[in-house]
Amino acid sequence: MNFFFWHYSKGTKKFFEIWRNYLAFFWWYFGVSRMLLTLFSPWKRDISRVGERGLHPILFLQSAFENLITRFLGAIVRLFTAIFGLIAVLLVLVFGVIILVIWLLLPFVLIVSIVLAVAYYSKTLYLSATAGVFLAVSAILFIISIKAFFHSKEDEGADSFKQYLKKEWFKRVWNRIGVEKDDPGILFIEKTGPTSDNLKRYEVTAEEFQKIIAWESERENKRLLKKRFWSRENLFAKRPIGADWTFAYTVNLDKYSSDLSKGDFTDYKDDDEKGRYQDIEMLELILTRPSQNSILLIGEAGTGKMSLAHHLAKRIREHRIYSAVGTKRVLVLNIGEVVSGVTHQQEIEQILRKVFFEATYAGNIILVIENIDRYLKKDPKNAGENISAVLSEFLAYPNFQIIGLSTPENYHGDIESHEQVLKYFEKVQIEEMSAKETLDVLFRKLEELEKDGVIFTYQALREIVRSCEKYISDSPFPEKALDLLEEVLLYWSHISNEKYILPETVDEVVSKKYKIPVGEITEGEKDRLIDMEKVLHQRVIGQEFAIKQIAETIRRARTGMANANKPLGSFLFLGPTGVGKTESAKALAEAYFGDEKRMIRLDMSEFQRQESINRLLGSPESGFSGQLTNKVKENPYSLLLLDEVEKAHPDILSLFLQVLDEGWLTDAFGKKISFKNEIIIATSNAASDIIKAAIEKDTEPDKVREEVINYVIEKGIFKPEFLNRFEGVIFFSPLTQAEIIEVAKHLLIKYAENLKNVENIDVIFNPEFPKFIVEKGYDKKFGARSIDRFIQDRIGDRIVKKIISGEIQKGSRLALNIRDVLD
């Protein structure tokens, strides 16, 4: 009874819906109304002579004759197309009435057809054939009705977790969290339902699990929808006959453009619009205006500007735009091909006028111009590429529509000054996708990558987005996440034996690519982190308190406990010259980033003037990028050392307030530069005498800190807000006599290693050398630097002379005594 009730209620309603879809489709596909309304309209308007000046009688008569012929032939084609459409609609109408009668009388027709088929079998050919046809049709309809009935019963409980478990596709949900259906934990979740406690072992929350279900359910629905050829979406996804018969030819335009309305070649043909609905609707709204209906899409490279143009064309292609835009062709104009090989500005403008005139006269063209700023530059060197004059001529015509693509930097630098061009455009800002939206984009990308089964776990996708957000700052979402997705897939396919791509694989790729420690801490790294003070003391002598604070920062950064919106660590090193401030910075760079060369060093004494800001951030007027911003962009994972920071101009110090507090800085071209993966160390000799005196009196560190800070604030050396931005203000005390001797030992070892590497000479120093060097070469004003200078001048010079004279050869061994370096 349930089946019959469904058949005569919801089933019949569904039949009418399908019938209406086909009636509407054939009427629209053959363009019956359009053909009749444009029956005597020009056929593909010829524009070849529209621009001719003056009266040319022969050409006029020739054009009039050709126009009459094309209109006559066009009317015949349109009339026959409309007739075919009417016949198709009539056939669907009649066939639908017959099927409807059979549908409504299905039990009776099925029984009667069986009886008649048996009764007239091999007696009367006509009657038996008729009965057979009715039997076949009714049997097919009966089978369709039963299948549709059971399918509707499945859909009734589709939102229930228990119902989802019965679906064949649900095994993809389990695979998406990295387990098979026979995993022991799965049975428990199936019984009790998915909760955060149950799912904790798989490192996903209940909310994330529901997201996975929604993803896979949507994916399955899309797959089923493609099979439903009778649905309105599938029927109207075809281009109707004669959609452009009333518009003009665009012979020259087609030479220099690609038609997105065809959609066969585009990389975006299978992309999802999710997350961009509002942007696409804004494009449609602007394009339907009677004036100022051209658009400038402004966004960083990788935010999806070109994909929006493709999505707009896709909507037009699939008849999902019901405004006047629905008859448009979206063409990507390659101006580079126009200007290439042409040396004269007049010739370029002549070709462009032909192309733009065709686009205007055709009446159904939307031109997409990538990097439109490139063709609006006022640079005399690129004068041949400046098309602003030609653009201004045509933009006043409502039929001439452009979607121009540019970046914020180039918009402000090249477009904003063209007021005559800009007044015809509506500016649309394309923002970077959020991490949440990017996660959805990644999943939809998997539809083309995962043909045979699940490869990426949800946890891996989540790790890709997290890693991009934390470590990749030179490109926006979703581009950087899609790039990393492909890199991870490539790495996994060549290296890993795992069935699924896990977060650990993502971490391996990021770690290898950027040469930074990422992911789970290995056993060897655990020991190194725990004993980080010892690691740093291999290079830095003394300074116990400073080393302890630095080591704590490294541990926090590596375990992810550091503030994600600030640099990895930030310190102000205060103390006299030559006590280990710079060496500590180098040791830290080596310990965390793997090489002391991963250090950006700026001598802040070079930036004492206010105009020095341009050297740091760049200057649009000169076109030069900044020293600071350039180096950080090129080395986003490094230690930034600001030497003698107190000597910089106060306005320059103010720049670093935002860097230290928020982890980013905007350069002179409006580009956001991230410092979140930098360790920032500023060094200063300010108050070194006070520090020295306080330490000699054995003053407690907190009191030393208070006294020094009060001093530098009172003297106006640093502002309170500048000092407060640092994670730690660390005091480097003057070295003791024993520590100075240890420094001398360390520098001698370093010198000997360098000599061995460069000249292959083994040098052995007398054990009394360190003490001798300190006695003869140490200067309190210059600290450890004076020792290094003494070694180079006194010892190094002696050895170099011996090498030049041939007294010692490469590969030899040299034992050096104190008397060898005495004057």
Side-chain angles (χ1 to χ4, degrees), residues 518-527 529 555 558-560:
V518 178
E520 293 295 324
I521 301 173
T522 63
E523 288 300 321
E525 194 179 1
K526 283 179 185 177
D527 296 337
L529 284 170
R555 285 190 282 265
R558 182 62 186 93
T559 55

mmCIF file of all heavy atoms in Angstrom, residues 518-527 529 555 558-560:
data_model
loop_
_atom_site.group_PDB
_atom_site.id
_atom_site.type_symbol
_atom_site.label_atom_id
_atom_site.label_comp_id
_atom_site.label_asym_id
_atom_site.label_seq_id
_atom_site.Cartn_x
_atom_site.Cartn_y
_atom_site.Cartn_z
ATOM 1 N N VAL A 518 59.759 20.495 11.608
ATOM 2 C CA VAL A 518 58.292 20.538 11.607
ATOM 3 C C VAL A 518 57.774 19.178 12.034
ATOM 4 O O VAL A 518 58.377 18.145 11.749
ATOM 5 C CB VAL A 518 57.743 20.876 10.196
ATOM 6 C CG1 VAL A 518 56.227 20.868 10.182
ATOM 7 C CG2 VAL A 518 58.241 22.240 9.741
ATOM 8 N N GLY A 519 56.632 19.160 12.700
ATOM 9 C CA GLY A 519 55.991 17.895 13.045
ATOM 10 C C GLY A 519 56.468 17.338 14.365
ATOM 11 O O GLY A 519 56.960 18.057 15.239
ATOM 12 N N GLU A 520 56.325 16.012 14.508
ATOM 13 C CA GLU A 520 56.691 15.347 15.749
ATOM 14 C C GLU A 520 58.191 15.465 16.011
ATOM 15 O O GLU A 520 59.006 15.393 15.098
ATOM 16 C CB GLU A 520 56.298 13.863 15.684
ATOM 17 C CG GLU A 520 54.792 13.618 15.647
ATOM 18 C CD GLU A 520 54.094 14.066 16.918
ATOM 19 O OE1 GLU A 520 54.699 13.915 18.002
ATOM 20 O OE2 GLU A 520 52.972 14.575 16.835
ATOM 21 N N ILE A 521 58.534 15.653 17.271
ATOM 22 C CA ILE A 521 59.942 15.777 17.665
ATOM 23 C C ILE A 521 60.568 14.384 17.742
ATOM 24 O O ILE A 521 60.056 13.502 18.430
ATOM 25 C CB ILE A 521 60.059 16.489 19.028
ATOM 26 C CG1 ILE A 521 59.433 17.886 18.940
ATOM 27 C CG2 ILE A 521 61.505 16.581 19.467
ATOM 28 C CD1 ILE A 521 59.345 18.600 20.268
ATOM 29 N N THR A 522 61.670 14.189 17.016
ATOM 30 C CA THR A 522 62.335 12.886 17.006
ATOM 31 C C THR A 522 63.096 12.681 18.313
ATOM 32 O O THR A 522 63.331 13.620 19.078
ATOM 33 C CB THR A 522 63.313 12.789 15.821
ATOM 34 O OG1 THR A 522 64.325 13.784 15.991
ATOM 35 C CG2 THR A 522 62.583 13.040 14.506
ATOM 36 N N GLU A 523 63.508 11.438 18.555
ATOM 37 C CA GLU A 523 64.229 11.131 19.789
ATOM 38 C C GLU A 523 65.527 11.922 19.892
ATOM 39 O O GLU A 523 65.870 12.461 20.940
ATOM 40 C CB GLU A 523 64.521 9.618 19.844
ATOM 41 C CG GLU A 523 63.304 8.756 20.110
ATOM 42 C CD GLU A 523 62.637 9.079 21.431
ATOM 43 O OE1 GLU A 523 63.368 9.336 22.415
ATOM 44 O OE2 GLU A 523 61.396 9.082 21.490
ATOM 45 N N GLY A 524 66.267 11.990 18.782
ATOM 46 C CA GLY A 524 67.524 12.738 18.791
ATOM 47 C C GLY A 524 67.289 14.217 19.040
ATOM 48 O O GLY A 524 68.054 14.880 19.745
ATOM 49 N N GLU A 525 66.205 14.737 18.441
ATOM 50 C CA GLU A 525 65.901 16.156 18.613
ATOM 51 C C GLU A 525 65.435 16.449 20.044
ATOM 52 O O GLU A 525 65.700 17.527 20.579
ATOM 53 C CB GLU A 525 64.822 16.581 17.613
ATOM 54 C CG GLU A 525 64.683 18.088 17.489
ATOM 55 C CD GLU A 525 63.618 18.488 16.485
ATOM 56 O OE1 GLU A 525 62.969 17.592 15.906
ATOM 57 O OE2 GLU A 525 63.410 19.702 16.318
ATOM 58 N N LYS A 526 64.750 15.477 20.661
ATOM 59 C CA LYS A 526 64.308 15.657 22.050
ATOM 60 C C LYS A 526 65.508 15.904 22.958
ATOM 61 O O LYS A 526 65.515 16.841 23.766
ATOM 62 C CB LYS A 526 63.549 14.416 22.519
ATOM 63 C CG LYS A 526 62.128 14.304 22.006
ATOM 64 C CD LYS A 526 61.480 13.035 22.518
ATOM 65 C CE LYS A 526 60.092 12.849 21.917
ATOM 66 N NZ LYS A 526 59.471 11.578 22.342
ATOM 67 N N ASP A 527 66.521 15.061 22.815
ATOM 68 C CA ASP A 527 67.725 15.213 23.642
ATOM 69 C C ASP A 527 68.388 16.555 23.388
ATOM 70 O O ASP A 527 68.857 17.225 24.307
ATOM 71 C CB ASP A 527 68.710 14.077 23.350
ATOM 72 C CG ASP A 527 68.139 12.713 23.733
ATOM 73 O OD1 ASP A 527 67.235 12.682 24.591
ATOM 74 O OD2 ASP A 527 68.585 11.706 23.159
ATOM 75 N N LEU A 529 66.979 19.345 22.321
ATOM 76 C CA LEU A 529 66.171 20.443 22.867
ATOM 77 C C LEU A 529 66.302 20.525 24.387
ATOM 78 O O LEU A 529 66.405 21.614 24.956
ATOM 79 C CB LEU A 529 64.702 20.261 22.475
ATOM 80 C CG LEU A 529 64.335 20.610 21.028
ATOM 81 C CD1 LEU A 529 62.920 20.163 20.714
ATOM 82 C CD2 LEU A 529 64.486 22.097 20.765
ATOM 83 N N ARG A 555 62.711 25.999 22.705
ATOM 84 C CA ARG A 555 61.843 24.881 23.086
ATOM 85 C C ARG A 555 60.370 25.237 22.863
ATOM 86 O O ARG A 555 59.594 24.414 22.386
ATOM 87 C CB ARG A 555 62.107 24.480 24.533
ATOM 88 C CG ARG A 555 63.403 23.697 24.728
ATOM 89 C CD ARG A 555 63.511 23.111 26.119
ATOM 90 N NE ARG A 555 63.913 24.104 27.104
ATOM 91 C CZ ARG A 555 65.174 24.298 27.495
ATOM 92 N NH1 ARG A 555 66.152 23.577 26.986
ATOM 93 N NH2 ARG A 555 65.464 25.213 28.409
ATOM 94 N N ARG A 558 59.624 25.279 19.053
ATOM 95 C CA ARG A 558 59.619 23.947 18.419
ATOM 96 C C ARG A 558 58.399 23.135 18.805
ATOM 97 O O ARG A 558 57.884 22.343 18.007
ATOM 98 C CB ARG A 558 60.904 23.198 18.823
ATOM 99 C CG ARG A 558 61.024 21.823 18.178
ATOM 100 C CD ARG A 558 61.089 21.940 16.672
ATOM 101 N NE ARG A 558 61.056 20.644 16.029
ATOM 102 C CZ ARG A 558 59.945 20.058 15.597
ATOM 103 N NH1 ARG A 558 58.758 20.640 15.761
ATOM 104 N NH2 ARG A 558 59.998 18.881 15.009
ATOM 105 N N THR A 559 57.904 23.308 20.034
ATOM 106 C CA THR A 559 56.739 22.531 20.471
ATOM 107 C C THR A 559 55.424 23.212 20.142
ATOM 108 O O THR A 559 54.363 22.723 20.512
ATOM 109 C CB THR A 559 56.803 22.284 21.990
ATOM 110 O OG1 THR A 559 56.935 23.538 22.667
ATOM 111 C CG2 THR A 559 57.966 21.384 22.343
ATOM 112 N N GLY A 560 55.483 24.349 19.432
ATOM 113 C CA GLY A 560 54.266 25.032 19.028
ATOM 114 C C GLY A 560 53.617 25.848 20.128
ATOM 115 O O GLY A 560 52.467 26.267 19.996
#
